[in-house]
Amino acid sequence: MMGCASSIHISDRVNHSEDSQNCSHPGHIKPQSTLTEVQFGPMKLYEDQLQVLLVFAKDDAQSNSFCWACERAGFRCNVARTPEAALESFQEKNHDLIIIDHRHSRYFDAEALCPSIRGISCSHNTVIVAVVKRPDREEATVMPLISAGFNRRYVENSNMMSCYNELLQLHHGEIRAQIKLRACNAVFTALEQSQEAIEISSEDHFIQYVNPAYECIMGYQRGELLKENTEVPKSEKNKPDLLENISSCIRRGKEWQGVYYAKKKNGDSVQQNVKMTPVVGQGGKIRHCVSVTRPLNDHNKTEKSCERVQAESQTDIQQFSKHKDRRKGSLDVRSTTSRGSDGSSQRRHSSMARIHSMTIEAPITKVINIINAAQESSPMPVAEALDRVLEILRTTELYSPQLGTKEEDPHTNDLVGGLMTDGLRRLSGNEYILATKQLHHIPGHLTTPLSLNDIPPCIAQTMENEDSWDFDIFNLESATVKRPLSYLGLKIFSRFGVCEFLSCPEATLRSWLQIIEANYHSSNSYHNSTHAADVLHATAYFLCKERVKQSLDPIDEVAALIAAAVHDVDHPGRTNSFLCNAGSELAILYNDTAVLESHHAALAFQITTRDDKCNIFKNMERNEYRTLRQAVIDMVLATEMTKHFEHVNKFVNSINKPLAALEENGDSSDEDSVQNILTAPENRILVKRMLIKCADISNPCRPLELCIEWAGRISEEYFAQTDEEKQQGLPVVMPVFDRNTCSVPKSQISFIDYFITDMFDAWDAFADLPNLMQHLDNNFRYWKSLDEKKLHSLRPPPE
Ligand SMILES: [Zn+2]
């Protein structure tokens, strides 16, 4: 025991006690160094001269011995005679050690003093010792002392060496441990301020600590994760073997680093670059696991995403009200305008303001904006030259969407990945052959089509309001036993005089509609003939809008109706990415490029022209047929989502903006200029593309009940794809569309945010569609409200 003394580092530096209250025992011993190095893990701590407070009402042998021992140990020592003086002295000096005389209750109550000291905020790292009387009969429990806040009991013993040894043991035990714990505050401060997300869990995966960056990134409130004994949330998107690999690494005490999906509070999975380090503790066992998360690719992203999440609730509200205000704003302008039809142009004007601030940011858009701005301050010849530049830019293929602004949202990511890329990925060899059993129905196997005049009354009745946007296609679907396209097609095509235009008998049109409908797969939950009929309905509705009528020729209208009817024919209920990944015959045939759309267009013409009985083009003049065919193909190909932003951008730049410029200059009454923009051949192509695109994905603009039904159908089709991808070992193209985990409201919100809002703003500014925008607003709020309740389903559960 005495050996301890040898570890004391004696230095020549002497500390003089200047305080009159200081212990004045005559000392002959050299005091200890004021600064000692203490190793704490990788941290080097410096221990200052220890401060000791003796609380003794009177000097006696015991207090004198402690004074002497302090001096010998090199500690600075104060003496307080009363509890008041003790508290005052402690507040001033924050002693490392307090020794309180607990032997004489007549002077002061040591068990009351201790809690008072503990009540001072900085006291938790202070060691407090009670000096007690030697028990004369039985040993009493120390529990009352511990409860009062004492760390230790010292049985009175005024032997100097005994006091000295007590101090040495305290110093190297409790006091030094407290000094190390104090350093933990610094370590925690560093963790708290780290931009990297840090998580510490126990060996059995319970969360023990997460820093604010972690909470931010994962969408938690401060301290929320620690409230209950939570396990680290796991994302289902990780492959099971990855999780197994990680835990076996950790179990063997090895570090694991790699890309891993973490699960956010809202259930979203987020891909992260994670380093997991096992921390070996007592008994050589793994006691903790530390995960440090770096964002993928971008070093600045943590900060950004952190800021973003911190403002999340706020942003949500803002986004919501932005959405609401936009819609509301556009409607309010109308309602406050009492000048009848002027209202619509006013409202369109406000839509134009939105178009100017549209977030679709292809580089070409920026270039065009810069040139437009430069034109304003340019002399005439320069402005004219720039006009020609703009013309070239607008008619070449420079448009490409800039993706990635919303890449953190897995729903958007998956939709973009699943719909906008062909997503060819290396496969493990097993080739998927597209089921062909249902392909290419031959006429004659079908019941003889009815004429428009003898459509059964129950079906005719469901089609009565087919010219209304709120028309219920699902009623027609059930009334016609899943053959809505033939019936609605017949009605709409006759309303537009298609037979007259094509010089084709109504019977041929009927056969054609039937063969086309038969080549839709009724087994698809979404891409069946009801979807085709729905797109045809929307197309017909848009064709009746004033601006559209001004822009398009009869041949464009006929092309649009035909394109709508055939645009998804023989759709296999799987996305382009799937077909490419599966190495399907179609993907091989079309070189992984616009596979489905190419197939729909090609098959439509094959079916139509193969048999005179259904060849609606048979009596057309050759050049007219070529023009019509070109237009139909162009429109069907325009439904491919990889070109979504290109089509919307071109439309905004070539049509919305020039029209808005005319309106802003007060030239809107200049009918010739308007007409020139509307009927320019290249612009008519853009209008037709935009028209069929909007018709194709107009589900979010339909009345709520229809919108919900469509959302259920598309989700089911994507779920079925994910099921099959898993079954066949194919890459899962849209992992969020997993029937076990998918939030339909979230996927709808992402789809609306990413694809719908801007496109329909532009289309509304052109075609004037307040009712659609009202539905869109309403539906968006519906999905938001479900999502806010954390519901994943189509509808709230019944009360
Ligand atoms: Zn479609």
Side-chain angles (χ1 to χ4, degrees):
M1 282 294 239
M2 292 296 294
C4 287
S6 65
S7 73
I8 298 172
H9 177 201
I10 309 286
S11 107
D12 288 336
R13 290 169 60 187
V14 179
N15 261 275
H16 296 286
S17 305
E18 63 280 57
D19 196 323
S20 61
Q21 280 253 41
N22 277 356
C23 180
S24 55
H25 194 276
H28 322 284
I29 305 145
K30 286 180 179 176
Q32 198 196 358
S33 151
T34 55
L35 226 54
T36 312
E37 228 178 85
V38 178
Q39 202 66 32
F40 177 38
M43 204 171 178
K44 202 200 285 180
L45 304 176
Y46 291 98
E47 191 185 272
D48 211 344
Q49 185 183 30
L50 292 193
Q51 302 264 1
V52 182
L53 175 63
L54 301 179
V55 188
F56 284 81
K58 284 186 171 153
D59 277 339
D60 63 3
Q62 185 67 71
S63 69
N64 287 340
S65 282
F66 273 124
C67 270
W68 175 86
C70 283
E71 202 154 341
R72 171 156 184 185
F75 303 159
R76 182 176 280 202
C77 176
N78 303 132
V79 180
R81 301 291 176 206
T82 62
E84 295 73 27
L87 289 169
E88 198 180 318
S89 177
F90 177 70
Q91 266 170 319
E92 189 192 332
K93 296 212 157 70
N94 294 313
H95 305 85
D96 305 284
L97 171 65
I98 303 177
I99 300 173
I100 302 176
D101 189 3
H102 188 281
R103 297 166 299 166
H104 310 289
S105 56
R106 65 180 182 278
Y107 297 129
F108 58 80
D109 183 355
E111 271 176 53
L113 172 59
C114 189
S116 306
I117 294 171
R118 288 290 182 216
I120 295 167
S121 64
C122 54
S123 71
H124 58 275
N125 292 117
T126 295
V127 177
I128 307 182
V129 177
V131 178
V132 299
K133 274 189 173 164
R134 187 167 297 280
D136 26 47
R137 270 177 245 105
E138 281 196 3
E139 270 282 359
T141 170
V142 295
M143 210 52 225
L145 296 178
I146 289 172
S147 307
F150 287 101
N151 300 90
R152 202 175 152 73
R153 179 190 75 161
Y154 179 80
V155 178
E156 62 177 344
N157 181 349
S158 56
N159 178 287
M160 283 182 175
M161 193 49 80
S162 174
C163 291
Y164 179 58
N165 283 341
E166 177 69 15
L167 288 189
L168 289 180
Q169 290 184 66
L170 284 167
H171 179 196
H172 290 270
E174 194 95 20
I175 293 171
R176 190 153 282 173
Q178 289 297 338
I179 286 167
K180 290 177 182 177
L181 284 178
R182 266 182 266 168
C184 285
N185 292 335
V187 176
F188 275 118
T189 304
L191 291 176
E192 295 278 295
Q193 294 184 3
S194 167
Q195 296 285 349
E196 291 175 325
I198 295 167
E199 167 221 309
I200 301 176
S201 57
S202 64
E203 69 257 66
D204 40 10
H205 310 297
F206 286 109
I207 295 176
Q208 299 186 318
Y209 171 80
V210 290
N211 70 345
Y214 180 97
E215 290 168 322
C216 279
I217 289 168
M218 305 308 282
Y220 288 93
Q221 300 286 316
R222 191 80 190 101
E224 192 181 347
L225 262 176
L226 291 174
K227 264 185 206 137
E228 52 231 54
N229 250 4
T230 7
E231 282 204 43
V232 183
K234 283 202 184 67
S235 165
E236 298 77 6
K237 280 174 86 173
N238 295 304
K239 299 228 168 65
D241 54 337
L242 176 73
L243 294 178
E244 187 40 49
N245 186 10
I246 295 172
S247 56
S248 95
C249 250
I250 301 296
R251 276 200 305 273
R252 284 178 290 132
K254 288 195 172 156
E255 194 173 272
W256 183 88
Q257 186 165 6
V259 177
Y260 170 85
Y261 280 102
K263 190 178 195 170
K264 292 169 68 167
K265 186 188 175 189
N266 62 11
D268 291 350
S269 291
V270 56
Q271 241 185 342
Q272 295 175 333
N273 198 338
V274 182
K275 187 180 200 174
M276 295 186 198
T277 312
V279 182
V280 176
Q282 196 242 331
K285 286 186 184 155
I286 293 157
R287 299 289 172 179
H288 307 278
C289 179
V290 174
S291 304
V292 179
T293 301
R294 279 188 192 84
L296 285 170
N297 309 325
D298 189 346
H299 287 295
N300 299 325
K301 221 174 270 168
T302 316
E303 199 175 351
K304 278 187 217 151
S305 64
C306 187
E307 280 166 11
R308 202 193 59 234
V309 179
Q310 267 170 342
E312 194 174 61
S313 52
Q314 211 184 336
T315 315
D316 275 350
I317 293 161
Q318 281 169 350
Q319 263 177 2
F320 175 67
S321 57
K322 175 184 153 209
H323 222 272
K324 198 168 101 187
D325 289 351
R326 277 165 136 201
R327 309 274 170 257
K328 196 159 160 281
S330 71
L331 291 166
D332 283 354
V333 175
R334 164 161 260 183
S335 63
T336 53
T337 313
S338 50
R339 284 173 293 138
S341 62
D342 283 0
S344 67
S345 85
Q346 284 257 352
R347 197 185 58 78
R348 215 161 33 228
H349 197 80
S350 81
S351 289
M352 281 319 302
R354 301 196 307 259
I355 277 154
H356 280 303
S357 62
M358 235 178 208
T359 49
I360 306 166
E361 278 297 352
I364 192 67
T365 314
K366 290 179 192 158
V367 170
I368 289 174
N369 287 342
I370 292 166
I371 295 173
N372 278 332
Q375 269 185 319
E376 279 176 25
S377 52
S378 299
M380 209 47 176
V382 178
E384 281 174 359
L386 290 175
D387 263 335
R388 288 202 301 279
V389 171
L390 286 173
E391 217 166 280
I392 294 164
L393 290 176
R394 279 171 183 149
T395 49
T396 47
E397 299 296 314
L398 293 170
Y399 295 79
S400 75
Q402 258 186 358
L403 299 178
T405 49
K406 298 176 182 178
E407 68 201 347
E408 290 86 359
D409 176 9
H411 291 84
T412 309
N413 248 350
D414 283 7
L415 287 167
V416 170
L419 302 176
M420 294 198 54
T421 63
D422 288 323
L424 187 66
R425 297 177 203 186
R426 283 280 146 249
L427 295 170
S428 49
N430 51 339
E431 229 178 48
Y432 175 81
I433 306 294
L434 186 66
T436 51
K437 56 182 184 297
Q438 226 185 330
L439 287 185
H440 321 328
H441 268 281
I442 296 158
H445 289 230
L446 305 163
T447 51
T448 316
L450 293 153
S451 150
L452 187 59
N453 300 322
D454 40 45
I455 285 175
C458 59
I459 294 176
Q461 214 173 4
T462 60
M463 292 198 295
E464 253 168 23
N465 68 333
E466 55 85 13
D467 55 351
S468 151
W469 182 252
D470 295 352
F471 169 67
D472 188 342
I473 193 87
F474 300 113
N475 272 343
L476 181 64
E477 182 192 58
S478 51
T480 60
V481 198
K482 294 194 177 181
R483 293 178 55 210
L485 182 60
S486 299
Y487 290 92
L488 189 66
L490 203 52
K491 183 152 191 214
I492 287 177
F493 276 48
S494 22
R495 175 151 67 88
F496 281 82
V498 175
C499 284
E500 290 83 344
F501 183 88
L502 298 173
S503 320
C504 101
E506 194 193 82
T508 310
L509 175 66
R510 279 185 267 129
S511 299
W512 180 81
L513 284 166
Q514 293 209 329
I515 188 83
I516 294 295
E517 180 150 41
N519 277 284
Y520 276 93
H521 300 197
S522 58
S523 54
N524 290 344
S525 55
Y526 185 88
H527 285 104
N528 48 43
S529 71
T530 307
H531 167 64
D534 179 54
V535 176
L536 174 63
H537 174 264
T539 299
Y541 183 82
F542 295 152
L543 286 174
C544 295
K545 290 286 140 184
E546 204 46 50
R547 272 276 163 85
V548 180
K549 282 201 280 190
Q550 276 177 283
S551 175
L552 301 185
D553 287 341
I555 193 166
D556 296 316
E557 292 179 4
V558 171
L561 295 169
I562 292 171
V566 305
H567 86 281
D568 273 331
V569 68
D570 196 36
H571 196 296
R574 299 290 180 264
T575 64
N576 277 331
S577 300
F578 178 95
L579 299 180
C580 295
N581 285 333
S584 72
E585 284 178 355
L586 283 180
I588 289 168
L589 180 61
Y590 294 109
N591 301 315
D592 296 337
T593 308
V595 174
L596 283 170
E597 294 73 18
S598 301
H599 177 60
H600 304 318
L603 184 68
F605 281 94
Q606 269 175 27
I607 296 170
T608 308
T609 56
R610 195 162 48 194
D611 186 341
D612 279 357
K613 202 180 153 200
C614 61
N615 187 353
I616 53 174
F617 307 130
K618 194 182 157 214
N619 298 327
M620 282 188 87
E621 193 268 319
R622 171 184 285 272
N623 280 337
E624 223 171 11
Y625 171 64
R626 287 181 58 108
T627 309
L628 181 71
R629 172 171 154 76
Q630 193 51 57
V632 170
I633 293 171
D634 186 81
M635 289 173 82
V636 174
L637 293 184
T639 61
E640 191 213 350
M641 292 302 279
T642 55
K643 298 257 175 78
H644 173 83
F645 291 103
E646 179 184 326
H647 296 316
V648 177
N649 264 313
K650 283 183 175 176
F651 185 83
V652 169
N653 286 324
S654 301
I655 295 171
N656 284 145
K657 287 187 180 174
L659 285 178
L662 284 181
E663 283 190 25
E664 273 160 23
N665 298 338
D667 296 339
S668 50
S669 54
D670 181 357
E671 276 309 315
D672 284 349
S673 309
V674 172
Q675 204 59 30
N676 285 343
I677 294 168
L678 294 179
T679 57
E682 66 273 17
N683 284 355
R684 277 185 7 229
I685 292 174
L686 300 182
V687 170
K688 283 182 284 180
R689 288 178 184 165
M690 188 74 167
L691 185 153
I692 195 162
K693 276 187 64 55
C694 288
D696 191 21
I697 51 177
S698 66
N699 298 161
C701 301
R702 294 287 188 178
L704 180 63
E705 277 309 310
L706 304 182
C707 168
I708 293 172
E709 174 65 24
W710 287 123
R713 291 182 177 206
I714 190 68
S715 304
E716 177 48 43
E717 196 168 298
Y718 288 160
F719 293 160
Q721 173 167 320
T722 301
D723 290 344
E724 186 174 351
E725 284 164 338
K726 287 182 176 173
Q727 223 169 35
Q728 309 234 3
L730 292 166
V732 177
V733 178
M734 298 183 281
V736 295
F737 286 99
D738 183 312
R739 66 174 75 250
N740 303 311
T741 53
C742 183
S743 160
V744 177
K746 270 194 206 305
S747 68
Q748 286 293 312
I749 289 165
S750 297
F751 186 68
I752 291 173
D753 275 341
Y754 201 68
F755 293 109
I756 297 294
T757 304
D758 286 347
M759 183 174 76
F760 273 92
D761 266 348
W763 186 234
D764 169 48
F766 178 77
D768 189 24
L769 304 155
N771 50 337
L772 274 75
M773 302 313 273
Q774 181 70 67
H775 285 312
L776 176 57
D777 179 31
N778 188 34
N779 297 335
F780 184 84
R781 272 185 289 178
Y782 173 79
W783 298 122
K784 270 278 179 207
S785 76
L786 289 189
D787 186 45
E788 273 153 22
K789 290 175 198 140
K790 305 200 176 8
L791 295 169
H792 284 193
S793 50
L794 286 173
R795 292 168 209 277
E799 295 285 295

